[in-house]
């Protein structure tokens, strides 16, 4: 963990959360705070310090792409059960950088037109352009999660999709996009509390959907589907990270750290002027 | 000015900045701070207070649209000469609200495909959906600004466009979108200073484009084109506001106030639950 704002980590958060061989989702403690040695009340300052660094790196990434149209990009893929906090990550982590450098896409239930194409068709249309931080709020992984749990596709087709996803992500990575895949992991009990909170507060009723409880009843099937996703699609170029998310403040810090890591590895530089600076000064002075 | 965070205004900033009959751009002082009685150093706290209020209103606007797909939206149209601070407005004012509630579009030089359609074709494709705050970084007004100054269209066609714009905006307004049109107004001297600053700082070179000086040399023609825009398209449903922008901090506060005004007039409410709250509590408890 190189960024100077990230000294509060006691270990490499990327390594700690990365899905590797033998990973078991059912052994992850959703209430844990791996690698973070300080308390919740310190986390606010740490998040602000990280935001400043993220903002600067984002601006450099964007600037670098102005001189190199084939430059680097970042893609954050967010997957989670309902209420796990995707929205909070987008608001508090992604929302801390300049909106002009972010391409945010929320993938909903596919439309009839989208269903008439291969499942990656709508995804490809939204991959981030050079210099941008793309954010997928849900993604192509829905097609092997709800797609599997609710048998929206045949078992053979689900199998095919794992391979198609790996090919797609390898290609995206080869074209200069760093892929950061995150599953926010909450416990079933925490989800019940959060859904109950939405029922208890009239200003949160709009966030509640009875269908969320229907999905909740399929919790074990979803966990199995996530486990399969991790086994089949956590690759060298696009590894998964499972972020314990019962503590929202930890999940935000951790996702911020993963984004900082990705940007530090790109190490974007201010591009050199593509014009004669002295001559431009003269023109400007005369204008 | 009703919002509680907006007590620092000594007058109604919307009224003060609105373009009405007899408006003359050449009489606007770009360094003025109409309606603001406090100092620059107070403006930071005032901007933060306004951000909190803007965030809450944005969330209500979004929530209200979940229950009413034909609900209200806001469209902020930003026009300005180069360096006037559109980017800063997007970052510091728009960037203070949840990115999930914002649809930001930067309109660049039209592509060949866009040019093959009517000038409003690409604009219509990006009007905000219900519940969203749309932001146009440049807009259909380019087609009667650079379009006029550089004679990219005939005089007859420019004339036609004023009418087409008014029709389009009337239709948009009738469908529930509140339109907030802002020209950020800087002086030519301030622009020279800002462009020079970009030349003086290697980390700002990427923001400098020699073409900006070419446009700068047409300053009087641009001011005439803006004056014509104001005379022809500052309508009841979509009035223009000219925001003095030599002081960036003032421009940000003023645009924030205009957005707050628009949202207060919509007065979005938390929608009522479309389900049986008690029954859902029981289902959830049993799950």
């Amino acid at each position: 963990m190189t960024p100077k704002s990230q000294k509060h980590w006691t270990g490499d958060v990327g390594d700690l959360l990365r899905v590797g061989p033998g990973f078991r989702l059912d052994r992850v403690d959703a209430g844990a705070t791996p690698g973070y040695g300080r308390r919740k009340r310190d986390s606010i300052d740490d998040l602000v310090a990280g935001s400043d660094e993220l903002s600067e790196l984002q601006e450099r990434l964007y600037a670098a792409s102005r001189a190199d149209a084939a430059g680097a990009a970042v893609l954050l893929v967010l997957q989670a059960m309902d209420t796990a906090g995707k929205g909070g990550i987008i608001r508090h982590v992604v929302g801390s950088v300049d909106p002009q450098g972010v391409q945010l896409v929320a993938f909903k239930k596919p439309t009839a037109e989208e269903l008439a194409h291969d499942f990656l068709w709508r995804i490809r249309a939204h991959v981030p352009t050079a210099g941008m931080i793309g954010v997928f709020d849900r993604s192509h992984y829905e097609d092997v999660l709800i797609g599997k749990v609710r048998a929206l596709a045949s078992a053979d087709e689900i199998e095919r999709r794992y391979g198609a996803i790996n090919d797609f992500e390898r290609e995206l990575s080869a074209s200069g996009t760093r892929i950061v895949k995150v599953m926010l992991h909450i416990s079933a009990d925490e989800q019940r509390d959060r859904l109950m909170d939405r029922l208890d507060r009239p200003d949160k009723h709009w966030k509640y959907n009875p269908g969320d409880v229907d999905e909740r009843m399929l919790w074990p099937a979803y966990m199995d589907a996530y486990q399969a996703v991790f086994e089949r699609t956590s690759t060298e170029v696009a590894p998964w990270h499972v972020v314990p998310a019962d503590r929202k403040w930890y999940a935000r810090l951790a996702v911020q750290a993963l984004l900082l890591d990705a940007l530090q590895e790109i190490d974007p530089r201010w591009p050199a002027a593509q014009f004669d600076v002295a001559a431009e000064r003269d023109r400007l002075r005369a204008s």
Side-chain angles (χ1 to χ4, degrees), chain A residues 68-86:
Chain A
D68 177 12
V74 171
L75 174 61
L76 173 66
V77 174
L78 291 173
Q79 284 291 154
M81 298 297 284
D82 289 317
T83 77
K86 288 188 284 90

Side-chain angles (χ1 to χ4, degrees), chain A residues 106-119 121-123 126 143 152:
Chain A
F107 290 100
K108 313 281 185 192
K109 192 174 159 187
T111 63
E113 186 188 18
E114 288 168 348
L115 286 172
H117 292 271
D118 179 68
F119 77 108
W121 177 75
R122 65 175 187 161
I123 306 293
H126 290 288
D143 298 283
L152 305 177

Side-chain angles (χ1 to χ4, degrees), chain A residues 5-6 8 44-58 91-98 252-253 256 260:
Chain A
S5 68
Q6 299 294 295
H8 46 265
I44 295 160
D45 287 346
D46 290 338
L47 194 70
V48 169
S51 293
D52 291 344
E53 191 148 14
L54 194 60
S55 283
E56 192 191 319
L57 284 163
Q58 176 274 320
R91 181 161 189 166
H92 297 284
V93 180
V94 177
S96 74
V97 308
D98 190 336
R252 291 170 191 174
L253 269 184
Q256 185 188 66
L260 282 168

Side-chain angles (χ1 to χ4, degrees), chain A residues 122-180:
Chain A
R122 65 175 187 161
I123 306 293
R124 289 182 188 276
H126 290 288
V127 298
T129 47
M132 300 298 281
I133 298 177
V135 179
F136 284 179
D137 174 359
R138 306 185 187 275
S139 66
H140 42 301
Y141 286 99
E142 290 295 317
D143 298 283
V144 287
L145 289 165
I146 192 170
K148 184 178 186 185
V149 171
R150 295 216 171 253
L152 305 177
S154 69
D156 283 354
E157 169 63 7
I158 298 289
E159 279 302 310
R160 184 193 74 79
R161 287 178 184 176
Y162 296 128
I165 287 172
N166 288 338
D167 290 345
F168 163 64
E169 292 180 353
R170 195 179 310 115
E171 168 199 307
L172 198 57
S173 169
S175 73
T177 299
R178 274 200 61 95
I179 305 167
V180 180

Side-chain angles (χ1 to χ4, degrees), chain A residues 201-268:
Chain A
R201 292 177 52 182
D203 64 334
K204 298 283 179 199
H205 282 170
W206 68 276
K207 289 190 172 186
Y208 184 91
N209 177 350
D212 296 347
V213 175
D214 300 334
E215 295 307 300
R216 174 177 167 74
M217 295 192 186
L218 300 169
W219 191 278
Y222 271 105
M223 294 304 109
D224 287 349
Y226 270 107
Q227 177 69 34
V229 159
F230 298 143
E231 289 172 11
R232 303 298 298 277
T233 67
S234 196
T235 59
E236 187 81 26
V237 298
W240 273 100
H241 298 85
V242 173
V243 175
D246 278 3
R247 299 175 201 241
K248 291 178 182 175
W249 58 267
Y250 173 80
R252 291 170 191 174
L253 269 184
V255 175
Q256 185 188 66
L258 296 173
L259 282 175
L260 282 168
D261 262 356
L263 281 156
Q264 287 277 352
E265 280 187 38
I266 293 172
D267 193 19

